[in-house]
Amino acid sequence: MNQIGRAVFKVSQVYSLEQRLAVSTMRLFSTGHPLCNQAMPLPSTDKVYSEKISKIVADISTLNLLEVADLNALLKARLNISDAPVMMAGGAAAPVAAKVEEEEEVAAPTAVQTSFTIKLNKFDTTRKVAIIKEIKNQVEGMNLVQAKKFVESAPAVVRADIAKDEAEKIKEALAAVGGECVIE
């Protein structure tokens, strides 16, 4: 019962606050304030953006990570924005944050390549048939005619976006039948 009483008290406090806000709003509009002739905007959570802004966002969202980094650098140069951190109300905390950022930059790991591409550069012409058969086996959905055209068009990419161990297996298999491959 005590909890219900507390809940009723809280609701009455919120209700009285809403009444006070309504009264103060009415006073504002009745005083002849310059803003009273304008319509009050309705509160909304969905902001409507202009078509120009929406187009820019759509274009930026199609960029890859390197292009975004270039865009960032170009905007900083064009708008004269420095890389210095923005000073907040506590002036002493900012230099400490800068030191932490420097330590994070030093500790950042280097990029590790996880996907590889294997490329057939050239092949032994005396073992052309064996290379064609091996290409047919290694590339899914390729028939003998396609494999022959592929081998004759060397240098060409055999497989792309594969793991390193799989790329090495394909390279060894093609090298065994007379092909010279490069893993990129």
Side-chain angles (χ1 to χ4, degrees):
M1 187 70 177
N2 193 14
Q3 292 176 346
I4 294 173
R6 286 183 194 161
V8 169
F9 180 71
K10 292 278 188 189
V11 169
S12 66
Q13 283 181 333
V14 170
Y15 183 70
S16 67
L17 177 65
E18 288 176 358
Q19 284 180 333
R20 282 185 272 163
L21 284 172
V23 169
S24 64
T25 304
M26 293 303 293
R27 285 182 185 158
L28 174 69
F29 286 120
S30 66
T31 58
H33 195 273
L35 294 177
C36 69
N37 295 334
Q38 297 176 356
M40 186 175 213
L42 295 174
S44 70
T45 58
D46 299 330
K47 181 170 168 97
V48 179
Y49 297 98
S50 69
E51 184 178 327
K52 182 179 178 182
I53 299 295
S54 298
K55 183 180 180 305
I56 291 171
V57 169
D59 291 342
I60 290 174
S61 65
T62 62
L63 299 177
N64 64 30
L65 190 58
L66 294 174
E67 291 169 335
V68 171
D70 291 342
L71 175 65
N72 184 21
L74 182 62
L75 284 173
K76 283 182 179 179
R78 172 94 32 105
L79 300 174
N80 295 327
I81 299 172
S82 65
D83 286 336
V86 178
M87 295 295 285
M88 298 306 256
V96 173
K99 290 179 183 176
V100 170
E101 286 179 15
E102 290 175 10
E103 291 174 7
E104 287 177 5
E105 289 177 11
V106 171
T110 59
V112 177
Q113 186 176 0
T114 57
S115 65
F116 296 86
T117 301
I118 185 154
K119 184 176 181 182
L120 175 67
N121 284 336
K122 56 185 175 178
F123 60 93
D124 184 9
T125 53
T126 60
R127 302 185 70 189
K128 184 176 180 180
V129 174
I131 290 282
I132 293 171
K133 287 182 180 178
E134 190 60 37
I135 290 291
K136 180 186 171 285
N137 291 336
Q138 294 295 335
V139 180
E140 251 181 68
M142 188 177 280
N143 61 30
L144 278 173
V145 175
Q146 292 170 331
K148 179 180 182 276
K149 288 180 182 178
F150 179 84
V151 168
E152 290 172 346
S153 68
V157 174
V158 178
R159 301 253 326 254
D161 295 331
I162 57 176
K164 185 173 184 172
D165 58 339
E166 188 177 353
E168 289 174 352
K169 288 178 185 176
I170 294 171
K171 181 179 179 181
E172 290 172 7
L174 291 174
V177 291
E180 186 179 309
C181 299
V182 175
I183 297 176
E184 298 174 341

